[in-house]
Amino acid sequence: NKNCGGDSLSLHLLGLAMDWKCVAADKTEARRKLIENQWKTITMKHGLIGGCNWYTNGFHFSVYENERFGAKNFVHRDYRNQKGKDW
């Protein structure tokens, strides 16, 4: 994971996170919210505290936000306009 610029403690390595590259239709605000709400529903259905990070070119979905970051509810982060935070 380190070789591709990822964190050595990434949830990806444990199968607890995934990235999804956007197609043009996924870049609208309404479509992004729909996708995020679907992920929120899935995590809640399984009793997990999940999260969704928005990037210009895609999404990062995760579970165990409570274990890793101490979150008590589903987490939304929007990194679309932050330098150095996009892929």
Side-chain angles (χ1 to χ4, degrees):
N1 203 49
K2 186 178 180 181
N3 290 343
C4 68
D7 186 334
S8 62
L9 300 174
S10 173
L11 293 175
H12 291 272
L13 298 172
L14 302 172
L16 302 174
M18 68 176 180
D19 296 325
W20 178 1
K21 186 173 173 85
C22 285
V23 295
D26 294 339
K27 293 186 178 183
T28 67
E29 203 75 10
R31 179 76 172 152
R32 282 181 174 270
K33 287 179 183 177
L34 173 66
I35 292 167
E36 179 176 299
N37 285 335
Q38 289 173 328
W39 181 245
K40 183 178 181 179
T41 299
I42 291 166
T43 59
M44 289 175 63
K45 179 179 177 181
H46 294 281
L48 302 169
I49 296 180
C52 180
N53 298 353
W54 291 12
Y55 295 95
T56 303
N57 294 320
F59 298 91
H60 169 84
F61 300 107
S62 62
V63 296
Y64 295 116
E65 288 282 334
N66 55 331
E67 299 287 330
R68 185 80 186 266
F69 302 107
K72 299 199 183 315
N73 296 301
F74 187 86
V75 176
H76 163 85
R77 298 178 192 93
D78 189 343
Y79 293 119
R80 289 178 292 173
N81 296 313
Q82 295 184 25
K83 286 188 177 188
K85 286 274 194 181
D86 212 359
W87 51 275

